Amino acid sequence: MTATRGADARASAAPPAFDATDDDVVAIPLRRPWRVVGGALVLVLVASFAASVLTNPNIDFQAIGAFVFDPRILDGVGLTLLITFIAMVVSTFLAVVVAGMRLSSNPVLVSVAWCYVWVFRGTPLLVQIVLWGYLGLLYESLTIGIPFTDIAFWQADTNALISAFTAGLLALTLNQAAYSSEIVRAGMLSVDEGQREAAASLGMSPLYTFRRVLLPQAMRVIIPPMGNETISMLKNTSLLSVIAVLELYTQATVISSQNLKQVELLIVASLWYLFLTSVLSIPQYYLERRYGRGSSRSLPPTPLQRLRRAIDARRPGPDPAPETKEVRVV
């Protein structure tokens, strides 16, 4: 009798079954009609612009297709990539050196580095290219010897030594080094000061600390703007046309001066620049992911991973297991 009364008491004390649909809050998404209207308006404008270009009788699309893979255009593409690669590699090395000078405690090194950045950032790149191209007007010959004396160990004619290609490469490299040095210096300053103090307490030299401790940690800040500078360098090679370097834009200009297809050849050059900048954006993306691994707990999926997930989501999977109802025994 006692056991029966205890079971009845526990049964009466048990909470009643809860129906999840009784007190659910139904969230209604906020309506944004102007977002739809704005998107539709943008699509209409883009479609109208594309239609005006594709139906323009003044554009010879056959000429564009004929010159996209012209051997002269391909030679210009190859020279553009070569100049971009050499200029970025050498300027990055110089940028690290100049940034180290700016961060040093030597006032002479700091002053020289500051003046270098001040001069090359303060004058237009086009002016620098022209000055390097006409360097022979300032110095008829280049000499290596003892300063302030007539003793010379080596001497060469300036115009023979510095060709148009070399002059353009020097201008782009030295100008880019000034900008990249500030990027590297900003990356160095982003590293916690305690890292430098810890390295000094372990007996590391300033140069070793800079190379093995500060620089690897600063890469997360350095990589994104340096990727943008690389893309800018690729496009800035078109300025070398003023000193007759046969890169992509110069080749397109030479061809258009012969067949009078100026607009068509400009479109050809633009298509190649768009393609090359798109290709250069791929390694920049993965370098940012590599050096950003310690900044967040989980990295966002790559475009390939998103594509694979979308494909896997569309594949028919196995039938779901039947739901089991929980039976509570009182």
Side-chain angles (χ1 to χ4, degrees), residues 301-314:
T302 63
L304 290 178
Q305 292 174 346
R306 295 174 183 173
L307 179 61
R308 290 174 183 173
R309 292 179 182 178
I311 295 175
D312 293 340
R314 291 179 177 273

Side-chain angles (χ1 to χ4, degrees), residues 66-120:
F67 285 104
V68 166
F69 298 105
D70 187 270
R72 292 168 291 179
I73 294 295
L74 295 180
D75 291 340
V77 171
L79 187 59
T80 297
L81 290 175
L82 178 64
I83 294 173
T84 302
F85 176 77
I86 297 176
M88 286 306 301
V89 170
V90 179
S91 65
T92 302
F93 175 76
L94 293 177
V96 174
V97 174
V98 175
M101 294 170 62
R102 288 288 303 271
L103 296 174
S104 69
S105 57
N106 190 325
V108 177
L109 296 180
V110 173
S111 301
V112 171
W114 183 88
C115 290
Y116 172 82
V117 174
W118 173 64
V119 170
F120 282 93

Side-chain angles (χ1 to χ4, degrees), residues 255-322:
I255 296 174
S256 64
S257 64
Q258 298 172 356
N259 57 15
L260 301 180
K261 299 288 185 181
Q262 285 84 1
V263 176
E264 288 77 5
L265 268 300
L266 288 176
I267 294 176
V268 169
S270 300
L271 292 176
W272 273 109
Y273 282 121
L274 285 172
F275 173 75
L276 295 176
T277 53
S278 301
V279 172
L280 289 177
S281 300
I282 298 175
Q284 176 189 354
Y285 173 78
Y286 284 98
L287 282 174
E288 290 180 10
R289 284 178 58 86
R290 174 177 176 81
Y291 288 101
R293 288 178 297 179
S295 60
S296 59
R297 295 184 177 180
S298 60
L299 294 175
T302 63
L304 290 178
Q305 292 174 346
R306 295 174 183 173
L307 179 61
R308 290 174 183 173
R309 292 179 182 178
I311 295 175
D312 293 340
R314 291 179 177 273
R315 291 178 180 175
D319 295 335

Side-chain angles (χ1 to χ4, degrees), residues 110-134:
V110 173
S111 301
V112 171
W114 183 88
C115 290
Y116 172 82
V117 174
W118 173 64
V119 170
F120 282 93
R121 286 201 313 173
T123 55
L125 176 57
L126 185 61
V127 174
Q128 298 174 27
I129 293 173
V130 174
L131 285 177
W132 281 104
Y134 295 110

Side-chain angles (χ1 to χ4, degrees), residues 174-322:
L174 295 176
N175 179 269
Q176 184 59 48
Y179 285 92
S180 298
S181 66
E182 292 298 287
I183 296 175
V184 175
R185 187 173 69 91
M188 295 295 105
L189 295 176
S190 67
V191 180
D192 188 81
E193 187 66 24
Q195 299 290 327
R196 190 191 304 270
E197 297 174 354
S201 65
L202 294 175
M204 297 182 183
S205 64
L207 180 60
Y208 188 84
T209 302
F210 177 81
R211 183 169 57 91
R212 299 301 298 271
V213 178
L214 300 181
L215 189 59
Q217 298 185 57
M219 291 299 290
R220 183 175 61 87
V221 180
I222 294 174
I223 288 297
M226 285 298 288
N228 293 333
E229 291 296 325
T230 303
I231 293 175
S232 297
M233 174 65 71
L234 177 71
K235 295 180 292 185
N236 287 338
T237 56
S238 61
L239 297 176
L240 300 183
S241 60
V242 297
I243 56 175
V245 177
L246 296 177
E247 42 75 47
L248 174 59
Y249 176 76
T250 307
Q251 291 282 18
T253 304
V254 171
I255 296 174
S256 64
S257 64
Q258 298 172 356
N259 57 15
L260 301 180
K261 299 288 185 181
Q262 285 84 1
V263 176
E264 288 77 5
L265 268 300
L266 288 176
I267 294 176
V268 169
S270 300
L271 292 176
W272 273 109
Y273 282 121
L274 285 172
F275 173 75
L276 295 176
T277 53
S278 301
V279 172
L280 289 177
S281 300
I282 298 175
Q284 176 189 354
Y285 173 78
Y286 284 98
L287 282 174
E288 290 180 10
R289 284 178 58 86
R290 174 177 176 81
Y291 288 101
R293 288 178 297 179
S295 60
S296 59
R297 295 184 177 180
S298 60
L299 294 175
T302 63
L304 290 178
Q305 292 174 346
R306 295 174 183 173
L307 179 61
R308 290 174 183 173
R309 292 179 182 178
I311 295 175
D312 293 340
R314 291 179 177 273
R315 291 178 180 175
D319 295 335

